Amino acid sequence: MVRIPDSHPRKKSLESRQKIVDGSSMGLLADSAMIAHGRGEAFDYLLGERTTESAREAIRESAARLGNARRPVISVNGNTTVLAGDGAIRLAAVLGCPIEVNLYYRTPSRVKGLISLLEELRLNVSQEAAPDGFYGDWKETVEGVSLLGESPNFKIEGLEGPRSNCTAEGIGGADTILVPLEDGDRCEALITLGKEVLVVDLNPLSRSARMASVTIVDEVSRAFEGILSCLLNDSEYRQAEWDNLKSLNGSLKEISNHFSV
Ligand code: ATP
């Protein structure tokens, strides 16, 4: 892997790009993964590669909804696992919820490969120091995170083909789903089933962004860090009446303000 000097102003972005390249060559990602990443990068560039004010509000709201959920789950695809699998493990540990690998272009070998990667990340995260604000046995809590998706036993109504497959213990039975980089159709089907759908998507114009209960317009690893910090250190915040389209308009304004001359 090419070493990017610390002084490079876009080091984080280049490292993420490399993770996608490596994930692809390991056979963990669909062919279209780089296209999806490229679209995300373009929007992140427009947003100034930072968590904007409207994203911060959506992060707080999502943390509150996850904290109040009866059966939350984190649904991850290939890109999310490769870019922010460790962040997903930390969040699942704090929420006491499972992570489900759920792929649009599902193949058994990719699901297996992504679960193996998550197992490796779970081991690494269990050996880290507990995050600020966490009280308890971090190692044991992290080791208890269950990783689902290998044996689907439930179908998301309203979707055809393999993309409808999921597990009853995870997405099927969940009331609240944190689902980064989701496809618009599946987001709509989950909303129709009455689930609370919290999306992370850098494109405020995507169908998923517009369909979701709450959309965090931010890069997935930054969004996960933000939610974790809210869960552990911002317990005063209460779930609010949420106008998601207003929040998306806020993101669009932040893009245009960032670049106005
Ligand atoms: P939709 O059906 O919702 O309109 P789409 O077809 O435009 O979705 P996909 O290709 O399914 O989009 O998914 C990629 C989405 O994920 C894009 O909207 C892209 O902006 C977003 N994305 C890509 N990388 C990241 C990332 N690292 N963090 C957050 N969002 C990302």
Side-chain angles (χ1 to χ4, degrees):
M1 175 170 162
V2 185
R3 214 191 87 74
I4 301 151
D6 290 343
S7 58
H8 196 294
R10 302 197 52 254
K11 183 177 166 80
K12 176 106 192 336
S13 166
L14 295 177
E15 282 175 347
S16 295
R17 192 179 284 186
Q18 189 62 43
K19 284 183 187 170
I20 295 288
V21 170
D22 294 344
S24 274
S25 45
M26 287 159 70
L28 295 175
L29 306 178
D31 292 343
S32 57
M34 286 200 199
I35 298 171
H37 186 73
R39 185 178 304 175
E41 263 195 359
F43 276 100
D44 205 16
Y45 201 94
L46 293 173
L47 286 158
E49 294 174 329
R50 72 207 154 112
T51 299
T52 63
E53 200 41 53
S54 61
R56 209 174 302 284
E57 287 303 312
I59 284 172
R60 288 184 97 192
E61 183 63 26
S62 299
R65 291 185 187 214
L66 285 165
N68 288 340
R70 262 183 315 102
R71 280 185 67 175
V73 65
I74 303 172
S75 168
V76 295
N77 68 357
N79 287 31
T80 300
T81 305
V82 164
L83 293 172
D86 52 352
I89 301 270
R90 289 183 202 104
L91 266 185
V94 168
L95 287 164
C97 78
I99 296 177
E100 177 161 343
V101 173
N102 197 247
L103 306 182
Y104 190 86
Y105 300 109
R106 169 184 283 273
T107 69
S109 75
R110 262 209 315 275
V111 176
K112 201 171 173 359
L114 289 166
I115 290 196
S116 301
L117 176 57
L118 285 167
E119 283 168 349
E120 215 177 295
L121 293 170
R122 183 174 58 187
L123 180 65
N124 296 345
V125 172
S126 76
Q127 290 164 355
E128 290 174 348
D132 273 355
F134 180 86
Y135 302 101
D137 186 331
W138 180 245
K139 183 168 182 290
E140 193 183 34
T141 308
V142 173
E143 284 170 352
V145 171
S146 62
L147 305 172
L148 306 172
E150 231 172 326
S151 315
N153 54 3
F154 193 93
K155 288 213 177 276
I156 304 170
E157 245 174 73
L159 287 179
E160 282 167 21
R163 69 197 175 125
S164 68
N165 291 337
C166 66
T167 72
E169 306 75 46
I171 293 172
D175 59 343
T176 304
I177 308 177
L178 175 63
V179 52
L181 284 57
E182 181 54 304
D183 144 78
D185 271 12
R186 213 160 43 182
C187 181
E188 184 170 5
L190 294 170
I191 291 273
T192 308
L193 290 178
K195 297 180 190 292
E196 185 99 54
V197 182
L198 314 172
V199 158
V200 182
D201 192 329
L202 280 159
N203 176 3
L205 300 168
S206 78
R207 287 191 58 237
S208 326
R210 287 182 288 122
M211 290 302 310
S213 317
V214 179
T215 306
I216 301 171
V217 180
D218 200 4
E219 195 280 324
V220 61
S221 58
R222 291 199 303 262
F224 280 180
E225 279 167 30
I227 297 173
L228 185 74
S229 160
C230 285
L231 285 170
L232 293 173
N233 305 304
D234 191 16
S235 53
E236 304 287 283
Y237 183 82
R238 295 280 169 266
Q239 187 171 327
E241 282 295 316
W242 182 257
D243 184 340
N244 204 45
L245 294 183
K246 186 170 165 211
S247 171
L248 294 176
N249 276 323
S251 304
L252 288 171
K253 283 201 189 95
E254 282 161 324
I255 289 178
S256 61
N257 290 345
H258 185 61
F259 281 95
S260 57
V261 283

